[in-house]
Amino acid sequence: MFISDRAETVVYMQSFSKTVLSNESNQASTTDALKAWKAVNGAQIAVIADSNPVSNALPNSLTLTVPDGSSGAVGVSNEGYFGIKVSSDWEYTASFHYRTSFTGDATINLQTSTGQVLGSTTASLSGDDASWKQVSVRFTPTTDPDGESTDNLFVVTVDGEAASGQVTNFALFSLFPPTFNRRANGLRKDIAETLQEMKPAFFRFVGGNNLEVCWFNPTDVAFVLTSSSPPRAKPPRGDGNGMLRSDPSRIAQDVKETGATSTRSYSLGGTSIAEDQLDPYIQQAADQINFVIGDPAQDEHAALRASLGHPEPFKLRRVEVGNEDFIGSAPSTYGYRWKQFVEALQPQFPDINFIATTHVDNPVLDPTPAEYDVHVYQTPKWFYQNAFYYDGFARNGTKYFEGEYAVTSTNSSDIYGTPEHGRLLWPTMQGSSAEAAFMTGLERNSDIVYAAGYAPLLNHVNNSQWTPNLVSFDAARVYRSTSFYVQKVLFGLNRGDEYLPSTLPDRNGSIHWAVARKGEDEIIIKIANAGEAAQNLTFALPFDNIASTGNLQVLTGPANASNTPDTPDAVTPRETTIATGKTFDYEAPGYSVTVVTFTAL
């Protein structure tokens, strides 16, 4: 996360708007159809292709048959998405659709894996198996599980004797603990609040790989837009998000603008759409943009947005053409893809900047891009040695978005590889301090680098797809990495309004700094020491009235120190005071990030 001359911050947004249940819509393949579900007390359960489904988008149903002669509570249970956190301080919202021949009460509860009920409520089922109805209930557990265990179950049952021989079809279960800002089907509260700690001002959605798939499907755009619809009307999607449900205002109320990667003409499998076959994909991009900013009275996709409760257009200023089109064979076809998309879309959307995703000036593009999205995954050494990367760039009107960056490995030949060869599972202080050194260069060049964002952002520790990540989590907790604290302390909470020139660091050295002014009289000095040894610095300031003391925030630790589920607080910032004045000294610890703030006029 980095602040530019316009004080914008970027977070690469990944999905975390999801019921805590697993396989809640039962639309998976036959072998996975009952994943996470189990029968309770002799029930017979199956997933079927329903002849009368809850919707065309959700053709499967979970059937519960209560055997003849049953007694006691009979039903189904779900183990949750790698567990379920249960707290007596939380009110839970549970819902499901049903079609049944049974009339009577259903019990909805949360219980431990050993059967201890932690919280429970009931709902009446109406026996009309020709039509679908919905149950929605709220309840608060009365008991917490031992040791805050997440080995808990969501259970729906009926009275076995009363429902003996009866069949119930279920669809689209959900279970939500309290959500961020208490929005229905909203974001996981603790994760959203963690991101909000960084004071983000810009969110990028939907991610490029959300559209740039491994194959081409002419209905992709319909998939993305309908996944913005109410859950019953949308096809199954693992994260529960569409473009509308990715609304950044669900995370931070002070979001200033949004951005979307909305075009794709090259698949991750290495295939490009031919030059004379791009028109349908260009139209899909236009449809998505209109969904975000169009006039509901003029465009059907904007009307869809309005029907979903958001008649006002979102603020959209930038759209990328492609995603990481510097990989593989993509550069060889990007020239014509860029040209056709921009020349078709720019007249329709004159207020949008279109961002190129190739290497800068390779290939040479026509029309000339107003902006580039630059991605870098590299070693600690690369990052601190490239803190001057943008200093030599021409000031010719082109702007740059450092859209993704992170230290991913200590092995330059394995930055995309495996942990066995150096790939990091978690950010380390060595890597985080090197990222901070690079970030000081981004701030120094904020006249052309308008924003930047660490990536990837979020990681479920039980289902990692890419490491390292800024924030990790499991069913119960959130883990803030060393890089999270760099993003939060170095730039999120210490944004300057004006970059102040200073003596430049050694281009080849491991220690870097940046100086900025905030408001009328606050000076912010950021120091990143990406080397092992402590280094002494002397600051000589040109101001007349300087406070005798300032605030000192330091993040430091051994090279391989990481915040993990086993050691979640191994490295956290410490705050104290420092003696300041027209001249003062500071010893920057090895592998450290420091922020000094004080008043001066």
Side-chain angles (χ1 to χ4, degrees):
M1 186 177 302
F2 148 72
I3 299 311
S4 74
D5 53 337
R6 293 179 299 156
E8 294 172 347
T9 314
V10 177
V11 171
Y12 191 96
M13 181 177 175
Q14 295 178 346
S15 306
F16 55 98
S17 172
K18 191 181 191 302
T19 166
V20 299
L21 302 181
S22 179
N23 189 23
E24 65 273 13
S25 65
N26 300 107
Q27 304 300 310
S29 64
T30 302
T31 55
D32 294 327
L34 282 173
K35 178 183 177 182
W37 293 95
K38 287 186 172 58
V40 174
N41 193 21
Q44 297 172 1
I45 63 173
V47 172
I48 65 167
D50 203 316
S51 59
N52 179 20
V54 68
S55 73
N56 291 333
L58 301 173
N60 292 351
S61 300
L62 172 65
T63 65
L64 164 67
T65 302
V66 180
D68 291 333
S70 293
S71 62
V74 179
V76 294
S77 69
N78 186 286
E79 64 188 23
Y81 190 67
F82 298 101
I84 300 175
K85 180 178 180 178
V86 178
S87 171
S88 59
D89 294 328
W90 288 356
E91 181 183 64
Y92 291 76
T93 301
S95 69
F96 56 83
H97 292 76
Y98 74 92
R99 182 167 59 82
T100 186
S101 57
F102 167 68
T103 296
D105 287 342
T107 298
I108 300 101
N109 69 45
L110 288 166
Q111 61 181 245
T112 67
S113 60
T114 59
Q116 179 190 5
V117 175
L118 305 171
S120 180
T121 189
T122 60
S124 296
L125 303 185
S126 175
D128 174 11
D129 61 5
S131 62
W132 286 90
K133 300 178 178 64
Q134 184 178 15
V135 162
S136 182
V137 295
R138 293 182 177 181
F139 64 103
T140 301
T142 56
T143 306
D144 291 318
D146 292 340
E148 298 185 352
S149 169
T150 60
D151 187 17
N152 303 308
L153 302 172
F154 169 74
V155 182
V156 177
T157 60
V158 294
D159 180 80
E161 183 175 357
S164 177
Q166 304 297 308
V167 176
T168 302
N169 287 16
F170 291 104
L172 201 62
F173 292 85
S174 74
L175 176 69
F176 280 90
T179 58
F180 184 66
N181 286 340
R182 300 187 65 83
R183 288 187 174 86
N185 301 322
L187 305 173
R188 182 169 149 176
K189 188 171 183 287
D190 54 351
I191 300 176
E193 289 175 343
T194 299
L195 299 185
Q196 196 176 43
E197 288 179 24
M198 296 185 291
K199 302 297 183 185
F202 180 105
F203 287 84
R204 168 178 166 171
F205 78 102
V206 179
N209 290 356
N210 186 67
L211 299 176
E212 194 168 34
V213 293
C214 294
W215 60 90
F216 287 108
N217 182 341
T219 63
D220 275 354
V221 69
F223 166 77
V224 173
L225 293 181
T226 57
S227 66
S228 308
S229 307
R232 178 172 172 173
K234 72 180 184 180
R237 180 174 167 86
D239 58 17
N241 270 333
M243 292 181 71
L244 189 63
R245 293 188 66 194
S246 297
D247 173 4
S249 65
R250 291 173 183 254
I251 308 171
Q253 294 303 305
D254 60 347
V255 169
K256 296 185 177 179
E257 61 180 276
T258 61
T261 304
S262 294
T263 77
R264 55 115 170 101
S265 52
Y266 175 83
S267 78
L268 294 179
T271 303
S272 294
I273 295 298
E275 190 169 358
D276 61 354
Q277 297 177 17
L278 282 174
D279 286 351
Y281 299 91
I282 294 171
Q283 185 59 50
Q284 289 177 353
D287 292 343
Q288 289 192 36
I289 296 171
N290 274 316
F291 177 83
V292 177
I293 65 172
D295 180 352
Q298 303 293 325
D299 181 84
E300 63 176 310
H301 302 95
L304 172 61
R305 182 196 70 235
S307 73
L308 298 172
H310 206 292
E312 303 82 9
F314 289 96
K315 194 181 295 183
L316 178 69
R317 298 182 184 177
R318 294 179 171 87
V319 171
E320 291 197 358
V321 177
N323 176 55
E324 294 190 347
D325 282 86
F326 50 81
I327 294 176
S329 61
S332 65
T333 61
Y334 190 74
Y336 72 73
R337 292 186 285 116
W338 164 264
K339 183 178 180 66
Q340 288 195 40
F341 271 93
V342 174
E343 289 185 347
L345 296 174
Q346 190 74 78
Q348 297 181 59
F349 308 103
D351 296 329
I352 289 178
N353 281 347
F354 289 90
I355 307 175
T357 61
T358 57
H359 286 305
V360 176
D361 295 329
N362 182 22
V364 176
L365 300 176
D366 175 33
T368 301
E371 300 179 6
Y372 279 90
D373 180 6
V374 181
H375 295 184
V376 179
Y377 296 107
Q378 266 292 350
T379 64
K381 185 177 181 180
W382 187 98
F383 272 95
Y384 71 71
Q385 288 188 339
N386 282 273
F388 284 81
Y389 179 78
Y390 286 101
D391 288 65
F393 276 40
R395 268 53 180 176
N396 58 6
T398 302
K399 302 292 186 180
Y400 302 91
F401 169 30
E402 191 73 29
E404 299 179 25
Y405 67 95
V407 169
T408 57
S409 179
T410 56
N411 181 349
S412 59
S413 64
D414 201 57
I415 56 174
Y416 295 104
T418 62
E420 291 79 7
H421 296 96
R423 177 82 184 205
L424 297 175
L425 289 175
W426 317 94
T428 66
M429 267 313 303
Q430 182 184 27
S432 299
S433 58
E435 292 160 1
F438 183 71
M439 292 163 69
T440 64
L442 299 180
E443 185 172 83
R444 183 172 58 252
N445 289 279
S446 60
D447 59 322
I448 60 171
V449 183
Y450 64 84
Y454 184 103
L457 179 63
L458 295 173
N459 171 55
H460 196 301
V461 299
N462 298 115
N463 192 26
S464 295
Q465 295 177 312
W466 176 273
T467 63
N469 293 262
L470 195 70
V471 175
S472 293
F473 60 95
D474 55 26
R477 292 166 291 276
V478 175
Y479 307 105
R480 297 160 176 81
S481 71
T482 52
S483 290
F484 168 86
Y485 287 115
V486 168
Q487 299 289 325
K488 173 183 174 180
V489 175
L490 191 64
F491 289 99
L493 302 185
N494 287 287
R495 296 202 278 249
D497 302 320
E498 177 188 4
Y499 178 80
L500 300 179
S502 66
T503 303
L504 292 177
D506 182 348
R507 285 176 176 261
N508 297 314
S510 61
I511 188 164
H512 294 266
W513 57 83
V515 184
R517 183 194 302 277
K518 181 178 181 180
E520 293 293 326
D521 62 355
E522 183 177 358
I523 303 300
I524 305 169
I525 300 176
K526 301 165 186 176
I527 306 158
N529 183 4
E532 181 177 9
Q535 298 207 39
N536 293 307
L537 298 171
T538 297
F539 291 96
L541 305 174
F543 311 112
D544 293 326
N545 299 305
I546 301 173
S548 59
T549 60
N551 187 63
L552 178 71
Q553 299 174 79
V554 182
L555 183 77
T556 187
N560 295 324
S562 296
N563 294 337
T564 73
D566 292 330
T567 57
D569 299 313
V571 183
T572 59
R574 70 174 190 271
E575 189 168 351
T576 186
T577 58
I578 183 174
T580 56
K582 287 188 70 68
T583 300
F584 67 93
D585 297 325
Y586 176 67
E587 182 178 78
Y591 303 123
S592 69
V593 180
T594 300
V595 179
V596 181
T597 56
F598 55 91
T599 58
L601 292 173

